[in-house]
Every structure is written in C-alpha cells, then in structure tokens.
Amino acid sequence: MKIVWSNKAKYTFFSCRNYLIEYRSPEIAEKFANKVLHIINLISINPHLGKFRNDLECNEIVITKYISLYYIINNNFIHLIRFYDNRQQPLDILNL
C-alpha cells in the first residue's frame, strides 16, 4: 500500500529526531529514523499490524519505548497522522 505523510507526521517525526540528536546522540537518532522506515515498510505490507484505537479512530503502533505512530488505513493508501511521545499528556481525538 502507498504511504502518505501528513504535514503533522513530518513535523513530529523531525521533532523527535532532532530531540534525539540534541539530547542523546546522532547515532541514536539514526537508529530511530531507521526503525521508523522499517515499521512503515511493515505496515505498508500489513496495515493492520498496529492496534486500532476506538477513542482516536485510528491505528497506533509503538516505534520505540517512548514514541508511537498514529495512522489511518484507507482503501488505497495509509495516511500517517503523527508521531507522539508517550510520556506527554495522553492524546485525545481533538489534538490528534
């Protein structure tokens, strides 16, 4: 399936990556980026790999211990909504 990145997904991905570069190391940021690409490849093959969240009306898949990816499955493509640091205030439908 085709993957479509929302602007928010791009922004939150780069925010997470830049945080890792600044406060951890470039190597950890590179591992994160590679893991994201690997998971996106997996969900393009099997879109139902993530857990469906009824409260958010989308799928969620854990990228790392602290970061999750939220996405919607459509007929012809998978829409990546955003990356989210799980240590923050819990997401609700309004700030997804």
Side-chain angles (χ1 to χ4, degrees), residues 57-77:
E57 300 174 0
C58 67
N59 288 55
E60 172 189 28
I61 191 162
V62 175
I63 303 292
T64 68
K65 181 178 179 179
Y66 299 116
I67 299 172
S68 295
L69 168 62
Y70 293 89
Y71 64 96
I72 295 174
I73 304 167
N74 289 326
N75 292 335
N76 299 325
F77 61 91

mmCIF file of all heavy atoms in Angstrom, residues 57-77:
data_model
loop_
_atom_site.group_PDB
_atom_site.id
_atom_site.type_symbol
_atom_site.label_atom_id
_atom_site.label_comp_id
_atom_site.label_asym_id
_atom_site.label_seq_id
_atom_site.Cartn_x
_atom_site.Cartn_y
_atom_site.Cartn_z
ATOM 1 N N GLU A 57 -9.997 6.725 16.773
ATOM 2 C CA GLU A 57 -10.468 6.330 15.447
ATOM 3 C C GLU A 57 -9.315 6.191 14.452
ATOM 4 O O GLU A 57 -9.404 6.625 13.304
ATOM 5 C CB GLU A 57 -11.515 7.317 14.932
ATOM 6 C CG GLU A 57 -12.738 7.395 15.831
ATOM 7 C CD GLU A 57 -13.709 8.480 15.411
ATOM 8 O OE1 GLU A 57 -13.448 9.180 14.421
ATOM 9 O OE2 GLU A 57 -14.729 8.613 16.100
ATOM 10 N N CYS A 58 -8.217 5.604 14.919
ATOM 11 C CA CYS A 58 -7.063 5.350 14.052
ATOM 12 C C CYS A 58 -6.240 4.207 14.649
ATOM 13 O O CYS A 58 -6.556 3.704 15.719
ATOM 14 C CB CYS A 58 -6.210 6.605 13.905
ATOM 15 S SG CYS A 58 -5.393 7.108 15.414
ATOM 16 N N ASN A 59 -5.215 3.804 13.930
ATOM 17 C CA ASN A 59 -4.321 2.757 14.410
ATOM 18 C C ASN A 59 -3.114 3.375 15.094
ATOM 19 O O ASN A 59 -2.694 4.471 14.754
ATOM 20 C CB ASN A 59 -3.853 1.881 13.249
ATOM 21 C CG ASN A 59 -4.949 1.006 12.728
ATOM 22 O OD1 ASN A 59 -6.008 1.491 12.360
ATOM 23 N ND2 ASN A 59 -4.711 -0.271 12.687
ATOM 24 N N GLU A 60 -2.554 2.622 16.031
ATOM 25 C CA GLU A 60 -1.357 3.047 16.763
ATOM 26 C C GLU A 60 -0.348 1.907 16.725
ATOM 27 O O GLU A 60 -0.696 0.744 16.897
ATOM 28 C CB GLU A 60 -1.723 3.348 18.220
ATOM 29 C CG GLU A 60 -0.536 3.600 19.104
ATOM 30 C CD GLU A 60 -0.915 3.685 20.583
ATOM 31 O OE1 GLU A 60 -1.912 3.057 20.988
ATOM 32 O OE2 GLU A 60 -0.212 4.378 21.310
ATOM 33 N N ILE A 61 0.908 2.252 16.475
ATOM 34 C CA ILE A 61 1.975 1.261 16.548
ATOM 35 C C ILE A 61 3.146 1.888 17.302
ATOM 36 O O ILE A 61 3.467 3.056 17.100
ATOM 37 C CB ILE A 61 2.399 0.756 15.145
ATOM 38 C CG1 ILE A 61 3.309 -0.455 15.265
ATOM 39 C CG2 ILE A 61 3.010 1.857 14.309
ATOM 40 C CD1 ILE A 61 3.430 -1.255 13.991
ATOM 41 N N VAL A 62 3.733 1.122 18.187
ATOM 42 C CA VAL A 62 4.850 1.612 19.000
ATOM 43 C C VAL A 62 6.131 1.514 18.174
ATOM 44 O O VAL A 62 6.458 0.460 17.645
ATOM 45 C CB VAL A 62 4.978 0.796 20.300
ATOM 46 C CG1 VAL A 62 6.197 1.219 21.085
ATOM 47 C CG2 VAL A 62 3.716 0.937 21.134
ATOM 48 N N ILE A 63 6.821 2.646 18.081
ATOM 49 C CA ILE A 63 8.103 2.699 17.361
ATOM 50 C C ILE A 63 9.239 2.382 18.329
ATOM 51 O O ILE A 63 10.079 1.540 18.062
ATOM 52 C CB ILE A 63 8.332 4.086 16.727
ATOM 53 C CG1 ILE A 63 7.181 4.457 15.791
ATOM 54 C CG2 ILE A 63 9.669 4.153 16.012
ATOM 55 C CD1 ILE A 63 7.080 3.641 14.539
ATOM 56 N N THR A 64 9.276 3.098 19.431
ATOM 57 C CA THR A 64 10.243 2.846 20.497
ATOM 58 C C THR A 64 9.466 2.819 21.808
ATOM 59 O O THR A 64 8.256 3.016 21.821
ATOM 60 C CB THR A 64 11.326 3.947 20.575
ATOM 61 O OG1 THR A 64 10.728 5.166 21.009
ATOM 62 C CG2 THR A 64 12.025 4.149 19.245
ATOM 63 N N LYS A 65 10.174 2.638 22.881
ATOM 64 C CA LYS A 65 9.542 2.611 24.201
ATOM 65 C C LYS A 65 8.727 3.879 24.452
ATOM 66 O O LYS A 65 7.696 3.836 25.111
ATOM 67 C CB LYS A 65 10.647 2.464 25.246
ATOM 68 C CG LYS A 65 10.188 2.384 26.664
ATOM 69 C CD LYS A 65 11.387 2.193 27.573
ATOM 70 C CE LYS A 65 10.990 2.139 29.018
ATOM 71 N NZ LYS A 65 12.147 1.930 29.898
ATOM 72 N N TYR A 66 9.181 5.006 23.918
ATOM 73 C CA TYR A 66 8.545 6.282 24.216
ATOM 74 C C TYR A 66 7.762 6.903 23.065
ATOM 75 O O TYR A 66 7.039 7.859 23.275
ATOM 76 C CB TYR A 66 9.599 7.302 24.674
ATOM 77 C CG TYR A 66 10.320 6.885 25.926
ATOM 78 C CD1 TYR A 66 11.671 6.623 25.917
ATOM 79 C CD2 TYR A 66 9.637 6.728 27.123
ATOM 80 C CE1 TYR A 66 12.334 6.233 27.070
ATOM 81 C CE2 TYR A 66 10.280 6.337 28.282
ATOM 82 C CZ TYR A 66 11.636 6.096 28.242
ATOM 83 O OH TYR A 66 12.278 5.703 29.384
ATOM 84 N N ILE A 67 7.922 6.421 21.851
ATOM 85 C CA ILE A 67 7.316 7.085 20.694
ATOM 86 C C ILE A 67 6.413 6.117 19.931
ATOM 87 O O ILE A 67 6.807 5.002 19.613
ATOM 88 C CB ILE A 67 8.396 7.656 19.758
ATOM 89 C CG1 ILE A 67 9.221 8.691 20.520
ATOM 90 C CG2 ILE A 67 7.769 8.271 18.507
ATOM 91 C CD1 ILE A 67 10.424 9.208 19.800
ATOM 92 N N SER A 68 5.201 6.589 19.642
ATOM 93 C CA SER A 68 4.230 5.821 18.865
ATOM 94 C C SER A 68 3.885 6.566 17.589
ATOM 95 O O SER A 68 4.008 7.789 17.516
ATOM 96 C CB SER A 68 2.947 5.603 19.670
ATOM 97 O OG SER A 68 3.191 4.810 20.799
ATOM 98 N N LEU A 69 3.434 5.811 16.602
ATOM 99 C CA LEU A 69 2.977 6.366 15.331
ATOM 100 C C LEU A 69 1.487 6.105 15.214
ATOM 101 O O LEU A 69 1.018 4.995 15.486
ATOM 102 C CB LEU A 69 3.722 5.698 14.175
ATOM 103 C CG LEU A 69 3.190 5.927 12.771
ATOM 104 C CD1 LEU A 69 3.235 7.407 12.391
ATOM 105 C CD2 LEU A 69 3.973 5.096 11.770
ATOM 106 N N TYR A 70 0.738 7.133 14.812
ATOM 107 C CA TYR A 70 -0.703 7.016 14.602
ATOM 108 C C TYR A 70 -0.978 7.129 13.112
ATOM 109 O O TYR A 70 -0.413 8.007 12.435
ATOM 110 C CB TYR A 70 -1.444 8.106 15.377
ATOM 111 C CG TYR A 70 -1.311 7.899 16.867
ATOM 112 C CD1 TYR A 70 -0.252 8.438 17.571
ATOM 113 C CD2 TYR A 70 -2.237 7.117 17.551
ATOM 114 C CE1 TYR A 70 -0.104 8.225 18.931
ATOM 115 C CE2 TYR A 70 -2.094 6.893 18.916
ATOM 116 C CZ TYR A 70 -1.035 7.456 19.591
ATOM 117 O OH TYR A 70 -0.896 7.226 20.934
ATOM 118 N N TYR A 71 -1.834 6.241 12.595
ATOM 119 C CA TYR A 71 -2.123 6.229 11.162
ATOM 120 C C TYR A 71 -3.534 5.731 10.890
ATOM 121 O O TYR A 71 -4.144 5.066 11.712
ATOM 122 C CB TYR A 71 -1.096 5.388 10.403
ATOM 123 C CG TYR A 71 -1.087 3.916 10.760
ATOM 124 C CD1 TYR A 71 -1.785 2.989 9.999
ATOM 125 C CD2 TYR A 71 -0.369 3.444 11.852
ATOM 126 C CE1 TYR A 71 -1.768 1.639 10.309
ATOM 127 C CE2 TYR A 71 -0.346 2.106 12.181
ATOM 128 C CZ TYR A 71 -1.053 1.201 11.405
ATOM 129 O OH TYR A 71 -1.043 -0.129 11.717
ATOM 130 N N ILE A 72 -4.029 6.101 9.701
ATOM 131 C CA ILE A 72 -5.357 5.699 9.253
ATOM 132 C C ILE A 72 -5.197 4.855 7.998
ATOM 133 O O ILE A 72 -4.418 5.204 7.097
ATOM 134 C CB ILE A 72 -6.235 6.928 8.951
ATOM 135 C CG1 ILE A 72 -6.489 7.727 10.223
ATOM 136 C CG2 ILE A 72 -7.552 6.510 8.302
ATOM 137 C CD1 ILE A 72 -7.215 9.034 9.994
ATOM 138 N N ILE A 73 -5.961 3.774 7.913
ATOM 139 C CA ILE A 73 -5.941 2.908 6.738
ATOM 140 C C ILE A 73 -7.117 3.287 5.849
ATOM 141 O O ILE A 73 -8.268 3.256 6.279
ATOM 142 C CB ILE A 73 -6.065 1.429 7.148
ATOM 143 C CG1 ILE A 73 -4.960 1.051 8.131
ATOM 144 C CG2 ILE A 73 -6.039 0.536 5.918
ATOM 145 C CD1 ILE A 73 -5.176 -0.272 8.817
ATOM 146 N N ASN A 74 -6.811 3.678 4.611
ATOM 147 C CA ASN A 74 -7.841 3.932 3.609
ATOM 148 C C ASN A 74 -7.785 2.827 2.569
ATOM 149 O O ASN A 74 -6.926 1.948 2.638
ATOM 150 C CB ASN A 74 -7.639 5.303 2.961
ATOM 151 C CG ASN A 74 -7.969 6.427 3.917
ATOM 152 O OD1 ASN A 74 -8.854 6.305 4.747
ATOM 153 N ND2 ASN A 74 -7.236 7.524 3.817
ATOM 154 N N ASN A 75 -8.652 2.876 1.588
ATOM 155 C CA ASN A 75 -8.693 1.828 0.568
ATOM 156 C C ASN A 75 -7.390 1.693 -0.206
ATOM 157 O O ASN A 75 -6.917 0.590 -0.440
ATOM 158 C CB ASN A 75 -9.838 2.075 -0.407
ATOM 159 C CG ASN A 75 -11.188 1.889 0.250
ATOM 160 O OD1 ASN A 75 -11.306 1.161 1.232
ATOM 161 N ND2 ASN A 75 -12.197 2.558 -0.264
ATOM 162 N N ASN A 76 -6.812 2.812 -0.621
ATOM 163 C CA ASN A 76 -5.646 2.766 -1.496
ATOM 164 C C ASN A 76 -4.342 3.196 -0.841
ATOM 165 O O ASN A 76 -3.296 3.103 -1.449
ATOM 166 C CB ASN A 76 -5.887 3.657 -2.723
ATOM 167 C CG ASN A 76 -7.078 3.193 -3.514
ATOM 168 O OD1 ASN A 76 -7.332 1.999 -3.613
ATOM 169 N ND2 ASN A 76 -7.818 4.127 -4.063
ATOM 170 N N PHE A 77 -4.408 3.718 0.373
ATOM 171 C CA PHE A 77 -3.185 4.207 0.993
ATOM 172 C C PHE A 77 -3.295 4.195 2.514
ATOM 173 O O PHE A 77 -4.366 4.024 3.073
ATOM 174 C CB PHE A 77 -2.845 5.619 0.496
ATOM 175 C CG PHE A 77 -3.887 6.651 0.804
ATOM 176 C CD1 PHE A 77 -3.833 7.387 1.978
ATOM 177 C CD2 PHE A 77 -4.924 6.894 -0.085
ATOM 178 C CE1 PHE A 77 -4.793 8.344 2.258
ATOM 179 C CE2 PHE A 77 -5.893 7.845 0.192
ATOM 180 C CZ PHE A 77 -5.821 8.570 1.361
#
